[in-house]
Amino acid sequence: MREQLHNLKNEALALIQEAKDKKELETLRIAFLGRKGKVNQLLKRLVQLEEEEKVQFGQLINEVKRAIQQTIKSKSSTIHAKGRAGTHHPSSIKDFFDPTLPGAKPSQGHLHLVTQAIEEIHRIFEKIGFVRVRYPEVDWDWYVFESLNMPKGHPARDEWETIFINQKPHPKMGKVVLTTHTSNGQVREMERVGQPPIKMINIAKCYHRQQDITHTIMFHQFEGLLIDKEISIPHLKGVFDHFAQEFYGPERKTRLRPFNFCFTEPSFEVDINCPLCLGKGCRTCKGGWHELGGAGMVHPNVLKAGGINPKEYTGFAFGWGVERTYMMKSSLKIEDLRLFYSNDLRFLKQF
Ligand code: PHE
């Protein structure tokens, strides 16, 4: 039996060393170590032996078993490694490596198009003296609504419109909300600067409870605020035309339409002329103009809330959506605003 065991071991190891692939190896494993394999057959014969021999042979069989197992394992990893190398360098001609070839360039990413838009908007306003600031995107009701002259029952303060944070209201500042607009920066900027002139451009994230092809729950706005002595509507119009020409091109201009905001008086909606007909009216724009966003002369109550004397100073403010403003560049036709935030590289790589 000792000799039998010895032969079995030699036979197994030799066959395993010669195995060419995983399949062959597996067949050998079953033949030697399987339930009905050669090693088990020898184990079954142990019962016929004397007690002392049983222990001796039992140990020997286990040693043989372990040796076979180990050889299979190391052979299996050499087959695996060879297989992998083989797919990359199957033959000598393909092994040829030309060190003079230029290397493969690592692909380079770029800033998200909203970030690009924000940088461009910032540069345009910076040139005419506006200072970029950023105010909280989670803020007190006081800065988002109350200090902006918005009455308690205003629809924007409704739970259907605004996302409130589940936190105990502050005795003076009220509830905590995800900012619905960047206008929360107005009174904060008046508090920061104190004495006008104030020339701020606040670019930040805003939130509302709406999502469809023209709205995303999270979006960006840029808010301009200019307060000084004798500021009037022509100043506001001049700044908008400057922006329109810098951002959209020399032939573009803006127009003002009367509107209503609680924090400005008078208030306007600002339109930009259509890139195709330049305002005459065509099939794509209907009336010749596209809406950009809101604006107006800062309401005296808002100046007062920011500690500024409305008899001495006046100012204007405007708040427009970054994504919307960007989408209106003449060369771009983005049909669904949600694409901005879908993380789809096929879309993002184009900008
Ligand atoms: N906050 C307004 C909005 O989100 C826009 C606006 C800003 C209007 C400043 C007037 C003045 O629609």
Side-chain angles (χ1 to χ4, degrees):
M1 194 157 169
R2 196 180 287 271
E3 206 182 309
Q4 248 183 336
L5 253 176
H6 189 70
N7 288 343
L8 179 77
K9 183 178 162 190
N10 284 348
E11 184 197 355
L13 299 196
L15 286 171
I16 291 167
Q17 285 308 341
E18 270 161 36
K20 283 185 203 67
D21 51 35
K22 288 232 155 170
K23 212 170 134 199
E24 229 173 86
L25 206 58
E26 180 59 11
T27 319
L28 287 171
R29 192 192 62 79
I30 294 168
F32 287 97
L33 302 178
R35 209 150 47 88
K36 290 181 186 158
K38 294 191 178 175
V39 172
N40 262 354
Q41 274 164 21
L42 279 180
L43 271 173
K44 273 182 203 147
R45 278 170 51 196
L46 281 184
V47 278
Q48 301 160 1
L49 300 177
E50 297 290 321
E51 209 51 41
E52 214 174 293
E53 278 182 324
K54 254 189 206 166
V55 181
Q56 236 183 35
F57 279 103
Q59 273 171 359
L60 270 179
I61 295 176
N62 273 337
E63 270 166 37
V64 170
K65 198 170 163 181
R66 235 173 286 136
I68 299 176
Q69 274 168 342
Q70 232 149 39
T71 319
I72 290 183
K73 205 169 150 198
S74 69
K75 182 70 187 177
S76 164
S77 49
T78 32
I79 289 178
H80 187 66
K82 259 198 198 152
R84 280 205 340 231
T87 54
H88 289 303
H89 311 288
S91 67
S92 58
I93 187 94
K94 286 185 186 146
D95 270 349
F96 176 69
F97 172 68
D98 182 353
T100 63
L101 282 177
K105 279 208 180 112
S107 65
Q108 209 179 5
H110 62 69
L111 293 176
H112 189 276
L113 67 161
V114 170
T115 312
Q116 290 180 38
I118 288 174
E119 290 197 346
E120 196 179 343
I121 293 164
H122 172 202
R123 273 199 305 275
I124 293 170
F125 284 104
E126 192 182 38
K127 263 200 228 162
I128 51 170
F130 284 77
V131 176
R132 165 119 193 242
V133 291
R134 245 183 107 167
Y135 283 115
E137 292 159 352
V138 184
D139 206 352
W140 303 108
D141 175 287
W142 166 257
Y143 288 111
V144 184
F145 302 125
E146 189 74 27
S147 68
L148 297 176
N149 200 36
M150 291 171 82
K152 286 268 186 292
H154 193 281
R157 301 174 75 162
D158 199 300
E159 290 218 358
W160 296 104
E161 294 278 340
T162 300
I163 301 169
F164 289 90
I165 298 292
N166 197 1
Q167 194 184 300
K168 236 173 85 189
H170 185 281
K172 286 208 189 85
M173 304 288 193
K175 292 182 186 171
V176 181
V177 303
L178 296 191
T179 50
T180 52
H181 54 184
T182 40
S183 302
N184 68 314
Q186 291 191 17
V187 168
R188 283 189 174 273
E189 179 71 353
M190 295 178 207
E191 286 173 349
R192 183 184 75 85
V193 178
Q195 183 80 3
I198 290 175
K199 264 180 127 177
M200 87 156 187
I201 185 88
N202 171 32
I203 315 183
K205 290 188 185 75
C206 305
Y207 304 84
H208 54 190
R209 292 179 170 245
Q210 203 178 355
Q211 178 120 307
D212 54 44
I213 62 163
T214 53
H215 297 91
T216 49
I217 295 227
M218 186 279 295
F219 59 106
H220 295 78
Q221 274 192 350
F222 58 107
E223 180 100 3
L225 176 71
L226 191 150
I227 303 172
D228 208 343
K229 289 199 166 134
E230 292 172 14
I231 294 298
S232 59
I233 297 171
H235 295 118
L236 161 156
K237 180 74 167 69
V239 167
F240 295 168
D241 282 337
H242 165 78
F243 174 76
Q245 279 149 26
E246 292 281 316
F247 193 74
Y248 293 106
E251 288 177 311
R252 310 298 289 281
K253 54 182 185 213
T254 59
R255 78 171 182 189
L256 305 179
R257 261 185 302 115
F259 201 71
N260 174 53
F261 293 106
C262 304
F263 33 95
T264 45
E265 182 57 41
S267 301
F268 309 104
E269 243 173 6
V270 186
D271 294 338
I272 179 151
N273 58 346
C274 164
L276 301 176
C277 65
L278 298 177
K280 284 195 203 82
C282 66
R283 268 170 56 199
T284 58
C285 65
K286 309 262 161 34
W289 297 84
H290 295 286
E291 182 195 320
L292 265 183
M297 301 307 291
V298 182
H299 195 288
N301 287 351
V302 179
L303 291 171
K304 275 189 222 155
I308 291 172
N309 182 357
K311 295 216 170 76
E312 205 180 334
Y313 292 102
T314 48
F316 66 80
F318 57 92
W320 303 343
V322 171
E323 293 84 350
R324 212 188 136 69
T325 306
Y326 190 65
M327 265 168 58
M328 280 192 304
K329 278 207 174 212
S330 51
S331 54
L332 291 175
K333 266 216 158 83
I334 302 166
E335 262 145 38
D336 189 341
L337 197 72
R338 291 170 295 190
L339 273 171
F340 279 107
Y341 300 110
S342 62
N343 281 343
D344 187 338
L345 284 181
R346 289 169 306 175
F347 171 75
L348 295 174
K349 271 182 179 167
Q350 301 171 65
F351 302 95

